[in-house]
Amino acid sequence: MDHTPRQLFAMIRAGMEKEVLASNAPWYCVSCYFCMARCPQEIHITDIMYTLKRMAIENGHYEDATAPDLSKSFVGQVENYGRSFELGLATRHYLRHMPSKLFKSAQMGMGMLSRERLDLSPNRIEGTKQLQSILQRAKELEGVA
Amino acid sequence: MSDNHEKERVGVYVCHCGTNISATVNVEDVAVWAREDMSDEGVVVSRDYKFMCSSLGQEMIERDIEEEGLTRVVVAACSPHLHEATFRGACDRAGMNPYLCELVSIREQVSWVHTDKEAATQKAKAVISGGIERVIENEPLDPLFVPIHPDTLVVGGGIAGIQAALEIADSGKKVYLVERDPSIGGHMAQFDKTFPTLDCAACILTPKMVTAGNHPNIELLTWSEVERVEGYVGNFVVTIKKKPRYVDTELCTGCGICWEKCPKKVIDTEYEAGVGYRTAVYTPFAQAVPKYPVIDPETCTFFLNGKCKACQILCPTDAIDFEQKEEFISVQVGNIILATGFDVFDARRIPQYGYGRLANVFTSLEFERMCNAAGPTNGEIVLRDGVTQPKSVGIVHCVGSRDRRYNNYCSVICCMSSLKFAHLVKEHTDAEIYDFYIDMRTAYKDYDEFYLRIMEEGTNFIRGRVAEITDAARNLEEEGKLIIQAEDTLAGRQRRIPVDMVILALALEPRHDANQVAKKFGISCSHSGWFIEKHPKLDPVATMTEGIFIAGAATGPKDIPSSVAQGSAAAARVLSFIGQGEIELEPIRATINAQQCSGCRICNTMCPFNAILFHEDLMVSEINHALCQGCGTCVAACPAGAISGSGFSNEQIMSQIEGMMRLDMPRLVEMVPV
Amino acid sequence: MSRYLFYPGCSLQRSARPYLDSLNAISADLDLEIEDVNDWNCCGATEYGSVYRVPAHALVGRNLALAQQQVNGSKTLMAACSACYLNLVKTNYFMREDIRLRTNVNDALGVGGLHYDPDAVVVRHLLDIFYNDIGLEEIQARVVRPLKGLRVAPYYGCMIVRPDPEHRFDNPEYPQALDKLLKVLGAEVIDFPLKTHCCSGHMTQISPEVAYELIRRLVDGADQYRTDIMVTLCPMCQLNLDAYQGDMNQHFKTNYHVPVLYFTQLIGLAFGYEPLELGIGREFIAAREALAKIGVEVPEPAEAKPRRKRSRKDDPSLPMPIMPDDEEVA
């Protein structure tokens, strides 16, 4: 974690946009909401982290692409199938970002397969077209279509 | 509307209040309107002025009364709360009965709450029109003078209450000091040393306690509570419940054999803050004033199952009386001072700090008792096992304070208490100390110097609010310890510090029954629950209820010097009333038209001041004007409409409404932008 | 019959299949009628919201809108996966509080012929239903094989209890629902201090070292209490603690062996079902050995947590504060 949340806020107040969006701190957020539950000023810290992630992707400022790419791959899959597809996601992701760990990941995959906990092909919903049209409209409204 | 208005000569004064009113209301226009459009109603003079409450403004009114022969005055300015007395005083000086002057608010009710200038100006005119119609219906009234009873009631025997009682008693006046615990002393009696001087709390408190206990002018009513308050300033009648001690104070010598021999030991959650024990018959601490013990019926073996009675058997003067009943006494006082103190935050509300689950997390009060040489560990600083000395101690600031989820105020004294604890730990042990703070609030005399001293003594200060205190160790170093996790904001990283013991600096909170107490005395509590003073800056010990004063931590977290100062301040105010001997009461009171009264007696039962008598022979009710407070309850309740409030008659109220309605009022509801 | 709408979520289909199997096994016993939301789609996990905002809420909104169409009396929408649950709760909450978002999301949903009115369904977690609707008494009444002697660590994970602006369920720092439920099953429930600490979520895919450390802390924490089984209610938590325990061991050169099962599986065992019916056997860290203890008398452990002491003569220790729920939870 490059910066603590408190440091990020101070940097935001100081107008250090580039450094804030380049920080890896929001990408290390696991959304456990401990910070939000405990903040005495009731600041929505986790939600701000999500916003910073979105802004970083929009601006392309992040330095390490591992986390942003994972999110983007996930998004692509969900938009295609309406469901997540772990095998596809993991393969693509490891190939791009952690090729050295691909073998170990494959071992884990075999373990999941043998325990009937992994699908070899993606599941699809019926309303994929409906979902895609909804999401397309939503992106237009967000201004990122 | 009556046909008086032909005869009256009304003066209207519209205040600019700097720009407070004039920025929103077109005051010149309003003044002109009053002169022209309201002349039929009797307005002969109409002026606008920058600051009506200034001497020049007041003189303007006085001059017009004399030169123009005014018989009624309407001032359109701020709230009557602030300056009604000012303008009525001006009228009085010019020879006009002050109750023929009305102050209508075009500031709090118009310029400060609206932004639309046209609409606000129109509303101001409506308000003034109402005021003019009303004042025409006003009758001259003469004030009532009531005597001030020279006795005073002080509720709460902590340092503020004791100080107030001593000040009043020393001046020769009688004080009833009521305290709900068995002894006076309050929270200060629990402390070990006090900051910044590190005086022993008991050493400086007990002399005052003893003086109060022996003072010829102080009647000490401990183990007692106020049951009911009736009457009004200068003339309160207070019913006090004396809880049964089950000890005859005429016979008891305070020898202590009863509590020495009592076989029933229970956890003392009051004085010992839950870390020590007491017996079922007990005095809370050795220097208790008065010295008489009490028996706790909820834990005493005799009360629970009829056995034991060891205390009674062994008492050399036969002072134990299990048959004793609670006693109600009634006292008459002129003034009341509430100095009921504070409670502490319940640390169990913050589960991540581990209080109650992790044995060695202590609260500030528990730690005070531990440090105290007369406390449960004889002054030894030890872990919960009662034996082991800690080698490292963590002190956590702001537990329950400065937190929107619990109390969003600062409790003022915890930074200094925490520094004091750091010092006491260093004094008693060799432990390494870690103090976790957000800001160091050391604002008063010698406080910051104390901070420097503690820094020099070698405490480790870490600037960061503690996130959690846990026993889940991550490595060998943390095994068996309490780990305090916080962000060291100055170093910019998260730190985990393993310690043996943690002290939580708890927030101060209002007494948990503060709301009920306030209701009993007719005062109010703030949003956070503290008693509200009349004015936060200029009148810190008075309340909106005449004759009731407040002092000490009951009004908000404060340190001992401030509590003592407020105790003295409240006493001074009371003595000034007593010194005057009588007080002028507003003549706003109700009168019953005997012709219209049907004798239904609804008013008798409704009157909160018991001011209405019923004449059996005539079958009509009559109001005692000395007791009547002009609250208006009976006026509203009378089904025959036979009761009228002087200063608030039906004619006056209806005229005011009609006056306001005569103008075309625009829609003044302002939409808040989404 | 209590009828509930159900949002299964992607994991329950395959990677957390045992969770679904065990739920189905016990639902008949508990008079629970479960109706899946028609053609539900993925909730977006924590990924979608990191890229988009309105589309992320529209993605979840489609599920809420479909559920709204199926409301027929009961309007409770159950979710078993904590992330799915939280996403449903958040979208409903933000659509209620933020007029602009509500308008935009319904605009987007409208393109698909759908619409959602905030609070048309009430989103609740499966554990919430078990604890508050079914109730511990009903569950206890059906226990035929008490899990006596089994030391279990209730592990809630983070998203079921936080964030908590509307106090939707249990205490966000120190919840008790699962603890009490496991207790009525007869198990020995440890007071697990890390019960709401995050399992690391998707960090296994981003920074494995960080993930392994978070997993290690939890497994080690449970291990310190000699836990037989960690009990969870979220597929992500189960996956991380179970499937990655081996990798974590390799990374730290440790050899923890703490099996991780779903609470529905434990309920099933207590109700007398066979392990295979409940999907037991498909975990990476085998629960076989630990379960061999069921039905076997185990002596009381030597070191108990300090109990509330009666004051005895010569006992120097100081009393502990009195807690609201003063039951012994070993």
Side-chain angles (χ1 to χ4, degrees):
Chain A
M1 197 159 80
D2 289 338
H3 305 99
T4 63
R6 191 194 45 79
Q7 285 176 320
L8 284 178
F9 296 156
M11 285 156 71
I12 292 172
R13 289 205 295 258
M16 295 160 67
E17 183 174 331
K18 203 135 173 276
E19 290 91 327
V20 170
L21 294 180
S23 170
N24 71 4
W27 299 105
Y28 275 87
C29 174
V30 289
S31 309
C32 77
Y33 289 91
F34 251 145
C35 55
M36 249 173 89
R38 291 170 174 179
C39 177
Q41 291 291 76
E42 292 181 336
I43 298 172
H44 297 182
I45 305 176
T46 316
D47 293 338
I48 293 176
M49 292 301 143
Y50 273 113
T51 305
L52 290 176
K53 284 192 269 192
R54 291 195 287 263
M55 287 175 75
I57 286 183
E58 223 183 292
N59 284 286
H61 276 325
Y62 48 81
E63 287 176 353
D64 178 356
T66 316
D69 281 353
L70 178 69
S71 298
K72 288 197 260 190
S73 303
F74 190 100
V75 165
Q77 283 200 333
V78 168
E79 289 179 356
N80 268 335
Y81 308 127
R83 297 277 173 90
S84 67
F85 175 43
E86 273 137 30
L87 183 56
L89 181 69
T91 317
R92 189 190 152 101
H93 183 69
Y94 277 85
L95 274 171
R96 281 177 79 181
H97 288 287
M98 294 191 281
S100 58
K101 301 203 165 82
L102 189 60
F103 181 63
K104 183 179 261 179
S105 165
Q107 277 187 314
M108 159 94 62
M110 292 305 293
M112 294 284 277
L113 264 175
S114 66
R115 290 170 172 81
E116 292 176 24
R117 288 170 69 177
L118 191 67
D119 279 319
L120 281 169
S121 57
N123 292 307
R124 281 181 175 73
I125 62 173
E126 280 176 29
T128 43
K129 291 274 179 292
Q130 179 196 43
L131 178 64
Q132 280 154 15
S133 61
I134 290 174
L135 293 174
Q136 178 59 29
R137 177 75 186 132
K139 288 179 197 173
E140 281 166 28
L141 289 166
E142 176 131 313
V144 293
Chain B
M1 232 180 300
S2 72
D3 41 18
N4 276 351
H5 65 273
E6 317 283 16
K7 308 190 214 146
E8 305 306 337
R9 295 176 63 76
V10 182
V12 174
Y13 300 89
V14 187
C15 186
H16 294 219
C17 193
T19 53
N20 273 314
I21 297 177
S22 59
T24 311
V25 173
N26 187 339
V27 288
E28 292 92 354
D29 177 46
V30 170
V32 167
W33 160 85
R35 182 66 186 86
E36 295 176 356
D37 288 20
M38 296 298 282
S39 55
D40 281 347
E41 308 308 315
V43 175
V44 296
V45 166
S46 176
R47 304 188 198 283
D48 63 276
Y49 187 61
K50 264 213 156 29
F51 292 104
M52 281 308 299
C53 57
S54 64
S55 314
L56 290 175
Q58 293 177 56
E59 279 166 27
M60 192 193 295
I61 300 178
E62 294 173 51
R63 211 173 28 246
D64 282 346
I65 293 176
E66 284 159 17
E67 292 174 11
E68 303 287 338
L70 294 182
T71 58
R72 297 286 190 276
V73 167
V74 173
V75 182
C78 53
S79 163
H81 240 35
L82 297 163
H83 280 304
E84 185 175 69
T86 309
F87 298 119
R88 287 193 173 166
C91 292
D92 193 28
R93 286 193 294 280
M96 187 172 99
N97 185 291
Y99 292 93
L100 300 177
C101 167
E102 282 294 321
L103 168 56
V104 293
S105 170
I106 57 168
R107 189 181 74 171
E108 282 83 346
Q109 299 199 4
V110 182
S111 69
W112 272 1
V113 292
H114 298 299
T115 52
D116 181 336
K117 292 189 187 174
E118 226 182 272
T121 306
Q122 191 71 350
K123 181 173 173 181
K125 291 177 184 171
V127 166
I128 293 169
S129 168
I132 293 169
E133 298 297 345
R134 186 217 211 277
V135 82
I136 288 169
E137 301 295 332
N138 280 16
E139 304 277 328
L141 298 170
D142 294 311
L144 268 184
F145 287 92
V146 290
I148 299 278
H149 197 289
D151 294 353
T152 308
L153 172 69
V154 175
V155 182
I159 185 62
I162 291 174
Q163 181 71 16
L166 286 174
E167 297 266 17
I168 298 174
D170 281 346
S171 79
K173 303 296 173 197
K174 180 175 171 128
V175 178
Y176 297 95
L177 180 54
V178 172
E179 165 57 55
R180 69 158 66 141
D181 283 344
S183 164
I184 56 176
H187 279 296
M188 192 173 162
Q190 295 175 287
F191 301 157
D192 176 37
K193 303 244 183 355
T194 55
F195 55 77
T197 43
L198 296 173
D199 296 286
C200 150
C203 306
I204 55 176
L205 175 65
T206 45
K208 288 202 187 241
M209 284 169 58
V210 168
T211 313
N214 292 335
H215 206 297
N217 289 333
I218 296 182
E219 187 171 325
L220 211 51
L221 294 161
T222 56
W223 203 232
S224 304
E225 290 189 47
V226 170
E227 180 79 4
R228 197 166 56 249
V229 179
E230 292 163 311
Y232 54 96
V233 58
N235 302 275
F236 290 110
V237 175
V238 183
T239 310
I240 299 171
K241 176 170 78 177
K242 294 171 70 169
K243 299 184 285 195
R245 293 182 111 95
Y246 305 108
V247 170
D248 187 340
T249 55
E250 302 286 312
L251 298 171
C252 173
T253 59
C255 68
I257 289 184
C258 53
W259 70 79
E260 261 177 69
K261 300 298 182 190
C262 176
K264 186 70 181 284
K265 218 161 94 151
V266 296
I267 296 176
D268 183 351
T269 52
E270 304 287 325
Y271 183 73
E272 295 287 14
V275 283
Y277 300 92
R278 61 162 170 81
T279 45
V281 58
Y282 68 104
T283 55
F285 49 97
Q287 311 98 317
V289 170
K291 60 192 179 201
Y292 313 116
V294 304
I295 300 182
D296 173 11
E298 291 187 12
T299 51
C300 167
T301 315
F302 174 72
F303 281 102
L304 289 176
N305 54 27
K307 303 227 167 69
C308 184
K309 289 209 202 178
C311 48
Q312 191 175 57
I313 295 167
L314 295 165
C315 175
T317 54
D318 206 19
I320 306 283
D321 175 11
F322 288 109
E323 306 299 309
Q324 199 178 77
K325 298 273 174 282
E326 66 187 10
E327 201 190 314
F328 290 90
I329 62 169
S330 187
V331 301
Q332 276 195 300
V333 292
N335 294 281
I336 302 175
I337 299 179
L338 294 176
T340 47
F342 64 92
D343 274 334
V344 287
F345 178 75
D346 181 358
R348 295 173 302 181
R349 292 171 64 188
I350 307 186
Q352 64 266 34
Y353 284 176
Y355 177 70
R357 290 182 297 116
L358 301 173
N360 292 316
V361 176
F362 291 90
T363 65
S364 40
L365 263 188
E366 288 178 342
F367 190 72
E368 290 276 3
R369 292 311 308 147
M370 198 192 288
C371 288
N372 194 305
T377 61
N378 298 316
E380 295 283 316
I381 294 182
V382 287
L383 299 180
R384 195 74 69 165
D385 63 8
V387 173
T388 318
Q389 256 203 1
K391 296 210 192 45
S392 48
V393 177
I395 304 175
V396 179
H397 289 224
C398 304
V399 177
S401 304
R402 304 185 66 190
D403 193 326
R404 288 189 193 186
R405 298 160 303 156
Y406 307 109
N407 299 300
N408 61 4
Y409 51 78
C410 166
S411 290
V412 178
I413 54 95
C414 344
C415 280
M416 285 303 289
S417 295
S418 302
L419 291 173
K420 178 184 77 177
F421 293 151
H423 173 83
L424 290 172
V425 170
K426 270 267 181 282
E427 210 181 58
H428 294 236
T429 69
D430 292 318
E432 197 69 34
I433 306 169
Y434 300 89
D435 182 290
F436 297 82
Y437 68 101
I438 308 173
D439 295 297
M440 220 20 123
R441 299 199 156 174
T442 51
Y444 295 108
K445 197 166 178 181
D446 294 330
Y447 283 13
D448 214 41
E449 294 90 323
F450 188 69
Y451 178 29
L452 288 174
R453 173 181 172 177
I454 305 304
M455 277 200 264
E456 280 164 16
E457 284 178 6
T459 299
N460 300 294
F461 286 100
I462 297 171
R463 186 185 177 276
R465 192 189 193 108
V466 169
E468 70 181 43
I469 299 169
T470 178
D471 60 349
R474 287 184 191 169
N475 51 50
L476 276 172
E477 237 181 61
E478 295 183 355
E479 290 278 339
K481 300 267 191 196
L482 290 175
I483 301 118
I484 304 180
Q485 182 174 308
E487 180 186 349
D488 181 339
T489 60
L490 295 177
R493 64 180 58 220
Q494 193 192 82
R495 284 176 71 180
R496 285 168 67 92
I497 313 280
V499 296
D500 292 326
M501 172 196 240
V502 177
I503 307 169
L504 303 175
L506 297 180
L508 268 51
E509 290 185 333
R511 288 279 185 197
H512 296 139
D513 63 346
N515 264 308
Q516 283 97 291
V517 172
K519 254 212 186 95
K520 211 176 265 195
F521 289 88
I523 64 172
S524 311
C525 291
S526 71
H527 178 72
S528 306
W530 306 101
F531 292 152
I532 300 184
E533 54 276 287
K534 191 156 191 196
H535 191 283
K537 287 184 279 286
L538 300 177
D539 211 349
V541 293
T543 62
M544 297 301 270
T545 309
E546 290 274 337
I548 315 264
F549 299 92
I550 48 180
T555 74
K558 52 178 61 66
D559 54 12
I560 293 170
S562 307
S563 297
V564 168
Q566 284 205 337
S568 296
R573 295 293 295 272
V574 167
L575 287 172
S576 111
F577 268 14
I578 298 177
Q580 290 171 48
E582 63 177 11
I583 193 178
E584 187 180 310
L585 285 185
E586 286 252 315
I588 311 292
R589 57 199 187 277
T591 315
I592 299 179
N593 180 338
Q595 306 283 359
Q596 289 179 289
C597 175
S598 64
C600 70
R601 301 193 69 175
I602 286 178
C603 56
N604 294 180
T605 46
M606 296 207 90
C607 179
F609 302 97
N610 289 323
I612 309 185
L613 329 155
F614 182 65
H615 294 289
E616 299 276 356
D617 47 342
L618 299 168
M619 290 295 282
V620 293
S621 295
E622 187 190 347
I623 296 177
N624 176 342
H625 285 154
L627 292 173
C628 172
Q629 287 300 288
C631 69
T633 306
C634 58
V635 178
C638 177
I643 310 183
S644 196
S646 49
F648 274 92
S649 71
N650 293 337
E651 291 79 31
Q652 283 162 344
I653 296 173
M654 294 308 291
S655 301
Q656 188 158 24
I657 295 173
E658 282 177 21
M660 287 170 67
M661 303 287 274
R662 84 154 31 145
L663 268 88
D664 230 346
M665 283 305 301
R667 214 172 111 80
L668 269 176
V669 177
E670 307 217 36
M671 294 299 291
V672 177
V674 171
Chain C
M1 265 280 150
S2 297
R3 187 177 146 269
Y4 288 93
L5 294 168
F6 187 51
Y7 176 82
C10 304
S11 351
L12 250 65
Q13 307 304 107
R14 186 58 55 200
S15 60
R17 189 68 198 208
Y19 197 179
L20 185 64
D21 287 345
S22 49
L23 172 62
N24 286 332
I26 61 178
S27 53
D29 283 301
L30 295 165
D31 257 359
L32 204 56
E33 191 191 313
I34 299 174
E35 185 185 311
D36 283 9
V37 173
N38 274 329
D39 205 34
W40 56 269
N41 57 269
C42 175
C43 72
T46 54
E47 311 302 347
Y48 213 103
S50 303
V51 183
Y52 297 116
R53 185 169 165 258
V54 177
H57 286 297
L59 183 73
V60 178
R62 178 173 177 276
N63 294 307
L64 291 167
L66 292 170
Q68 180 175 356
Q69 287 177 351
Q70 286 171 243
V71 167
N72 186 0
S74 163
K75 55 184 231 179
T76 304
L77 176 60
M78 270 190 331
C81 163
S82 300
C84 301
Y85 162 66
L86 183 60
N87 278 338
L88 290 164
V89 165
K90 272 172 32 173
T91 295
N92 182 68
Y93 175 75
F94 285 125
M95 279 180 77
R96 185 203 323 139
E97 301 293 318
D98 182 344
I99 304 175
R100 261 210 334 227
L101 182 73
R102 187 192 321 152
T103 315
N104 284 340
V105 170
N106 272 324
D107 184 332
L109 288 176
V111 167
L114 294 172
H115 180 89
Y116 178 63
D117 301 305
D119 294 336
V121 296
V122 177
V123 181
R124 293 170 64 196
H125 194 286
L126 194 63
L127 179 64
D128 180 357
I129 304 295
F130 272 74
Y131 186 75
N132 285 310
D133 288 14
I134 298 173
L136 296 182
E137 264 182 53
E138 288 296 308
I139 295 174
Q140 186 161 36
R142 290 165 176 74
V143 172
V144 300
R145 177 169 58 200
L147 307 176
K148 194 156 155 50
L150 197 65
R151 284 176 72 82
V152 295
Y155 175 62
Y156 297 73
C158 53
M159 294 191 184
I160 184 180
V161 287
R162 290 189 300 270
D164 193 34
E166 304 189 299
H167 304 291
R168 48 194 163 89
F169 174 61
D170 220 340
N171 186 291
E173 293 280 351
Y174 195 69
Q176 287 284 293
L178 184 58
D179 297 58
K180 292 187 180 163
L181 193 152
L182 292 172
K183 201 136 182 264
V184 307
L185 298 181
E188 206 180 309
V189 182
I190 65 157
D191 186 13
F192 188 37
L194 304 174
K195 59 180 154 182
T196 62
H197 282 237
C198 188
C199 66
S200 81
H202 68 179
M203 286 312 272
T204 47
Q205 313 306 311
I206 295 175
S207 173
E209 290 75 31
V210 170
Y212 294 152
E213 171 57 20
L214 290 179
I215 294 168
R216 186 199 69 82
R217 290 173 191 172
L218 291 168
V219 171
D220 180 62
D223 189 55
Q224 282 181 26
Y225 279 86
R226 291 170 296 109
T227 301
D228 293 320
I229 297 192
M230 277 179 88
V231 184
T232 180
L233 40 83
C234 169
M236 183 89 258
C237 299
Q238 204 280 341
L239 184 77
N240 279 355
L241 293 172
D242 174 43
Y244 284 94
Q245 201 173 123
D247 286 354
M248 181 273 287
N249 272 328
Q250 253 186 21
H251 182 81
F252 289 105
K253 314 235 181 330
T254 48
N255 56 359
Y256 297 106
H257 183 99
V258 182
V260 186
L261 293 179
Y262 295 101
F263 76 98
T264 41
Q265 292 175 304
L266 285 220
I267 295 178
L269 285 173
F271 282 8
Y273 286 93
E274 289 310 305
L276 281 179
E277 292 174 276
L278 304 166
I280 294 177
R282 294 204 238 154
E283 62 284 353
F284 279 70
I285 307 294
R288 196 181 319 111
E289 207 183 296
L291 290 180
K293 292 188 182 182
I294 294 179
V296 177
E297 282 292 88
V298 190
E300 287 278 41
E303 347 121 49
K305 263 194 118 169
R307 289 164 192 277
R308 208 116 290 133
K309 290 220 173 129
R310 306 244 168 270
S311 60
R312 289 190 316 268
K313 220 176 169 212
D314 300 339
D315 178 3
S317 65
L318 305 169
M320 278 291 284
I322 298 159
M323 294 302 277
D325 252 11
D326 241 343
E327 300 167 51
E328 299 302 323
V329 186

